[in-house]
Amino acid sequence: ATMMSMAGSTTTVPSVPQRAKPEDAALHITVSDPVQHSEGMNKYTSYRVDVRPPTTTPGDAQQDVLFSNTTFSAVLRRYSDFLWLYERLHMERAGAIIPPIPEKQPVGRFSPAFVEDRRMGLERFLRRVAIHPELHDCKCLDTFLRADDVTFSAQKANKGEVVLASSAMYTGPPPKQADGLKRWFAEAKTSIAGDLVKSPDDDLFDEIHRYVSGLDSQMKNVSTQATGLVRKGKEIANGLFEFGLAFNLLGQSEADALG
């Protein structure tokens, strides 16, 4: 940078170098391309998460250890998926200091400024987890970064247990007897129901359900009132019709009397 002195001469001011951040060691992990999706009444934003083989500096022992087996991958994740990773890290590495994740925001979460700010925060969160000496080798992190949609959904639904896309809850052939077959299906149903977990979107669906239920009640009241108004309108129309007939008969009787 340059500046003018009092005598008119130009002096050079050395620029202050930008201090490197710890997460800069994981620049090969990026969060980009936010895209908004709508599924019925549910609306959310997905992010592309890329992992590329890092270009490490020779002699950097820490990076050599953390990223020696890094391969390319690209997946789509939404905020609730990042939240799942954050909670799973607390479970897998109890006592470790987990990097913070951007907080939820119920209002204005689809504005371009907020989406970009959240994208940067999620990217910083992932990079800090990737360089964390106690978190970088967590199974949930590897699943988050590399699992396909089917495997990742199964992983979330099964409370973090390792589940392959081609695997099922079936561990052997079902019994040949009818009673045994029924019992086998009952046990499978119980096992599946027991593995279901509460999703971060459940609160949103509950709120929508309450709103729709209240709206349904109000619409029923409006329908009842409208039906009553229509009935009253018909009664008034019939009354006016009879009133008109009475006046018509009265006019005819007066005409006959005046003959």
Side-chain angles (χ1 to χ4, degrees), residues 15-212:
S15 58
V16 179
Q18 187 176 5
R19 181 179 299 178
K21 300 177 182 178
E23 58 266 23
D24 290 345
L27 294 178
H28 62 288
I29 299 177
T30 59
V31 178
S32 61
D33 300 339
V35 178
Q36 294 184 9
H37 303 265
S38 295
E39 296 179 356
M41 299 184 66
N42 185 26
K43 188 176 182 181
Y44 65 92
T45 302
S46 68
Y47 303 87
R48 172 172 171 152
V49 179
D50 288 284
V51 180
R52 299 177 176 84
T55 55
T56 58
T57 303
D60 193 335
Q62 182 181 10
Q63 288 193 8
D64 291 342
V65 171
L66 295 181
F67 310 127
S68 58
N69 297 323
T70 301
T71 57
F72 175 80
S73 66
V75 295
L76 292 180
R77 297 290 183 255
R78 54 189 295 185
Y79 176 78
S80 60
D81 299 333
F82 285 87
L83 188 61
W84 171 86
L85 173 62
Y86 178 77
E87 295 172 349
R88 284 298 306 171
L89 289 171
H90 278 284
M91 296 176 61
E92 291 189 18
R93 295 292 189 270
I97 300 177
I98 310 299
I101 189 173
E103 297 181 355
K104 292 182 178 180
Q105 180 169 323
V107 180
R109 58 195 177 102
F110 298 109
S111 65
F114 174 77
V115 170
E116 175 61 18
D117 185 65
R118 171 174 277 186
R119 183 201 65 78
M120 295 174 59
L122 294 175
E123 184 178 72
R124 181 168 55 250
F125 163 72
L126 278 185
R127 289 177 175 177
R128 289 180 176 179
V129 171
I131 65 172
H132 199 295
E134 298 181 35
L135 305 177
H136 71 92
D137 59 345
C138 288
K139 292 181 179 179
C140 61
L141 176 61
D142 187 69
T143 299
F144 179 89
L145 294 175
R146 306 183 188 284
D148 56 70
D149 293 342
V150 175
T151 305
F152 186 67
S153 298
Q155 184 84 344
K156 292 175 64 178
N158 285 274
K159 300 181 180 180
E161 297 298 328
V162 177
V163 177
L164 298 178
S166 60
S167 67
M169 309 206 53
Y170 164 78
T171 57
K176 296 181 179 179
Q177 295 82 1
D179 293 341
L181 185 61
K182 293 180 181 178
R183 183 169 58 255
W184 178 77
F185 275 113
E187 292 175 354
K189 180 179 179 181
T190 302
S191 178
I192 293 174
D195 286 335
L196 295 178
V197 297
K198 185 176 179 62
S199 168
D201 293 330
D202 286 349
D203 293 336
L204 175 61
F205 284 115
D206 290 340
E207 181 181 353
I208 293 174
H209 177 71
R210 289 192 298 268
Y211 172 78
V212 172

